[in-house]
Amino acid sequence: MPKRILQRSFLLVTFVLFALPVFAVRKERLIDTWRPTHFDVNLTLNKQLSEISTAQVDIDIVAVKQLSIIDLDFGELTTDKVLVNNNVTQFVHQDGKLNITLPKAVNAGTKLRVTVVYHGVPKDGLVLANDKDGSHSAIGDNWPDRVHHWIPCLDHPSAKATVTFNISTPALYLAVANGRMTKVVKNEDGGQTWTYTEGVPIPPYCMIIAVGEFSQREPTESSLTPLSYLVPYSDREYSLKGFSSAGPAIQFFSDKVAPYPYEKLALIVGATRFGGMENSSAIVFTSTLFTPNLNAPTSKTFGISANVESVVAHEIAHQWFGDSVTESTWADLWLSEGFASYFAGLFIEKYDGEDAFQAYMKNAAATALAYEKRNKTPIHDTETEELMKLLNANNYQKGSWVLHMLRSRLGDEAFFKGIKGYYLDHKNGTASTDDLRIALEKASGQKLGNFFARWVYDSGHPQYELSWEWLPEQKSVKVSLTQAQTGEAFLDPLPIVITTGSGNVNAVITPGGKMTSQTIRVNDKPTQIVVDPQNTLLKEVNIR
């Protein structure tokens, strides 16, 4: 999912009904009456790329239950004609909905083809604007639910479908879209029609085109999948170096999770309101991606800004998490953003070392803790109405820390086994937070219900206050741990290191509530106690 520009610097359910106020649950556009299976999107753009001259979208749908009205999400473009199974059909287009009345109700399981013919200037979703060099461009930028401004659809992540784009443009321009390019045809007017086909289902917010006067380059190194860079000409010379981490990222995530899920990957510099937008096989990055930042650290492996390394890895990780395995509901957004954030960190760990990874995770922790001081909401947020507000530190940084804590608790072998199982079970489909929990429990043999209840479905983080007392006659130290945060206790095992004159003693405090005391045998009086030396828990600590 998208990564905000300002976040590129690396950037439960405990129900106490009598104590909690009742909030309205967010209403989502779910698949309850029909679902799409395939889109044929035919677009003709004018010479200036300032409007859609003509468009025809054919949507294959399946009725989920008895169906009499097909309710498409559609913006303010002019609808010229609607057909169902090639028969002209009545429709009402207003208030962002295109309601199509079927001549006769159909039963569940019935397959229909809906055709919508339209034209105009999209209000949103398809950005028709000049690129950084002043050249015309048309680029899809759909997250979270803005694709319906230029493609009629069911605009929710769970409404995944395959898609074919036929994009007719003047000869001046190059076009790219999701999937593999199957043909380019010269038109009678001197222009050309580009055809791209994505043969596996993708979420509607990932269905995009990019048209412009791009410079197209390909890396000199071999890659697991066809890889190309489409950038404004002013970025042409730097693009090979700027995107040099992309091929290794594809390889790394393929090794860690599963083979790359699509048939190509295009990295595009152009119009997006985000730092990067992870459209399946056609990622769009902000036009300032390669603008020098003298204050940013440099990747020791790739010699590029660590900001660029991070955002490129983040968006490529989304190809597995968010695009191939898509969140079932908006409340499960962390399965996209938290995963992309953490796997970008794992890429940094692999190529820039443990110190760089620890700095990345500490930065994430600081961002998450600062956010929680202002917002007491769970990661699994069912209430926030404005979807853009879900692009927050809960879903990004805290979500990445949930994965890091699970990895630390389960160990690398069980954790990555669980992640692979989760991915393969839900590849090209959707997944919920419970689906992840079940996969990790299966891989590890551990019960994780309490962990997910406290960390994902509830809010907050542990605020530890630790004190200790030396018991010389017993050759022991009594460690007292208090949790000062509001809400329930966090029961995560807390590793500590007790330093004495004769060496270090490793121990684990196992909280049973918000106050825990534990006596630990040591030979000498401690000189200090270090809490969580390997940085495995998201926390605040005060030692007395």
Side-chain angles (χ1 to χ4, degrees):
M1 195 140 319
K3 188 162 185 167
R4 283 194 181 278
I5 297 173
L6 294 179
Q7 293 168 331
R8 284 181 15 221
S9 57
F10 348 66
L11 147 230
L12 75 149
V13 178
T14 303
F15 289 109
V16 189
L17 296 180
F18 59 85
L20 296 179
V22 177
F23 296 98
V25 175
R26 176 180 55 247
K27 293 182 179 179
E28 296 194 13
R29 179 76 205 274
L30 301 178
I31 299 173
D32 53 1
T33 58
W34 61 274
R35 64 179 177 87
T37 58
H38 180 75
F39 289 79
D40 278 316
V41 182
N42 302 275
L43 300 170
T44 299
L45 300 169
N46 69 347
K47 185 175 182 179
Q48 295 76 32
L49 303 184
S50 60
E51 69 173 337
I52 298 173
S53 302
T54 62
Q56 177 175 315
V57 174
D58 300 302
I59 313 169
D60 293 330
I61 76 165
V62 177
V64 173
K65 63 182 182 182
Q66 190 176 67
L67 184 66
S68 58
I69 295 178
I70 302 170
D71 53 338
L72 290 166
D73 298 309
F74 196 32
E76 299 177 7
L77 296 176
T78 300
T79 301
D80 300 310
K81 184 168 54 175
V82 174
L83 302 90
V84 176
N85 292 343
N86 294 320
N87 297 312
V88 176
T89 306
Q90 292 183 337
F91 67 89
V92 175
H93 184 188
Q94 63 183 19
D95 300 327
K97 290 289 184 184
L98 179 58
N99 291 324
I100 303 165
T101 302
L102 299 178
K104 181 181 178 182
V106 299
N107 294 325
T110 302
K111 296 179 180 180
L112 302 170
R113 168 159 275 215
V114 178
T115 300
V116 183
V117 181
Y118 58 97
H119 70 279
V121 180
K123 180 181 178 180
D124 202 350
L126 184 65
V127 181
L128 307 176
N130 290 347
D131 67 13
K132 64 184 293 186
D133 291 349
S135 301
H136 302 310
S137 70
I139 297 181
D141 191 45
N142 300 323
W143 199 94
D145 57 352
R146 294 152 54 217
V147 67
H148 72 274
H149 289 291
W150 61 290
I151 300 176
C153 62
L154 198 166
D155 206 348
H156 188 272
S158 62
K160 300 179 73 169
T162 56
V163 61
T164 295
F165 281 102
N166 294 290
I167 312 155
S168 296
T169 70
L172 177 64
Y173 304 111
L174 185 154
V176 67
N178 311 103
R180 62 186 179 90
M181 186 177 72
T182 54
K183 61 180 177 179
V184 181
V185 176
K186 295 291 184 181
N187 302 328
E188 292 181 358
D189 62 2
Q192 49 205 355
T193 297
W194 308 73
T195 300
Y196 286 85
T197 298
E198 181 49 77
V200 298
I202 61 175
Y205 65 67
C206 283
M207 296 179 181
I208 67 118
I209 65 170
V211 180
E213 296 183 51
F214 295 113
S215 169
Q216 182 170 354
R217 306 200 71 181
E218 297 177 355
T220 55
E221 303 84 4
S222 61
S223 175
L224 287 180
T225 193
L227 184 60
S228 61
Y229 313 141
L230 291 90
V231 301
Y233 275 85
S234 60
D235 283 334
R236 174 179 172 81
E237 292 307 314
Y238 188 71
S239 60
L240 290 181
K241 182 175 181 63
F243 283 129
S244 60
S245 61
I250 295 170
Q251 179 73 61
F252 177 71
F253 299 138
S254 295
D255 292 341
K256 279 289 182 186
V257 184
Y260 177 72
Y262 303 109
E263 294 178 295
K264 69 109 176 25
L265 180 58
L267 303 183
I268 306 156
V269 171
T272 173
R273 67 176 61 184
F274 310 107
M277 179 59 215
E278 68 271 16
N279 318 296
S280 311
S281 76
I283 298 170
V284 178
F285 296 94
T286 179
S287 60
T288 59
L289 179 69
F290 295 140
T291 300
N293 182 350
L294 299 180
N295 296 321
T298 299
S299 166
K300 68 178 184 180
T301 298
F302 302 105
I304 60 176
S305 166
N307 294 348
V308 174
E309 178 189 29
S310 173
V311 73
V312 169
H314 179 107
E315 304 307 332
I316 291 178
H318 268 308
Q319 303 298 296
W320 286 262
F321 303 110
D323 295 3
S324 183
V325 177
T326 303
E327 60 274 14
S328 297
T329 70
W330 287 118
D332 296 299
L333 179 59
W334 80 281
L335 297 177
S336 176
E337 296 303 345
F339 266 80
S341 298
Y342 190 57
F343 274 74
L346 294 177
F347 181 77
I348 290 169
E349 181 182 37
K350 164 74 173 179
Y351 282 95
D352 293 325
E354 182 65 22
D355 288 346
F357 173 67
Q358 287 296 335
Y360 178 91
M361 294 307 297
K362 288 176 181 177
N363 196 336
T367 303
L369 297 181
Y371 179 81
E372 287 196 334
K373 284 179 170 36
R374 306 185 306 271
N375 300 275
K376 298 296 184 185
T377 54
I379 291 177
H380 194 272
D381 180 352
T382 61
E383 297 164 8
T384 298
E385 291 287 347
E386 189 178 336
L387 296 178
M388 281 290 183
K389 290 183 177 179
L390 294 177
L391 298 182
N392 58 43
N394 264 355
N395 281 312
Y396 285 79
Q397 286 86 358
K398 188 175 182 182
S400 72
W401 260 95
V402 166
L403 293 173
H404 186 57
M405 291 186 290
L406 285 165
R407 177 189 174 196
S408 301
R409 172 180 286 205
L410 304 180
D412 278 14
E413 182 178 355
F415 175 75
F416 287 110
K417 179 181 178 182
I419 294 297
K420 289 179 181 180
Y422 162 76
Y423 174 80
L424 293 174
D425 284 347
H426 302 283
K427 179 182 177 182
N428 299 329
T430 62
S432 68
T433 297
D434 267 355
D435 291 325
L436 175 63
R437 176 185 57 78
I438 290 167
L440 291 172
E441 287 181 341
K442 180 179 178 181
S444 67
Q446 296 187 31
K447 294 296 183 183
L448 298 171
N450 288 336
F451 176 92
F452 276 80
R454 192 65 187 89
W455 281 106
V456 180
Y457 294 103
D458 203 349
S459 61
H461 60 273
Q463 297 173 352
Y464 296 124
E465 294 182 355
L466 185 141
S467 60
W468 55 273
E469 177 187 359
W470 169 238
L471 305 175
E473 293 182 0
Q474 301 177 26
K475 291 288 186 179
S476 298
V477 60
K478 181 181 179 182
V479 178
S480 297
L481 183 70
T482 301
Q483 298 186 31
Q485 75 279 353
T486 59
E488 298 297 316
F490 289 83
L491 303 181
D492 309 270
L494 180 65
I496 62 172
V497 174
I498 304 168
T499 301
T500 73
S502 58
N504 292 336
V505 175
N506 295 306
V508 175
I509 305 297
T510 306
K514 297 191 78 170
M515 298 184 67
T516 301
S517 291
Q518 196 166 317
T519 301
I520 302 163
R521 186 158 183 85
V522 293
N523 291 326
D524 300 309
K525 181 179 180 179
T527 56
Q528 70 170 351
I529 295 180
V530 177
V531 174
D532 191 21
Q534 300 302 315
N535 202 27
T536 61
L537 288 172
L538 180 64
K539 66 199 177 296
E540 292 180 279
V541 179
N542 179 30
I543 300 178
R544 299 198 308 273

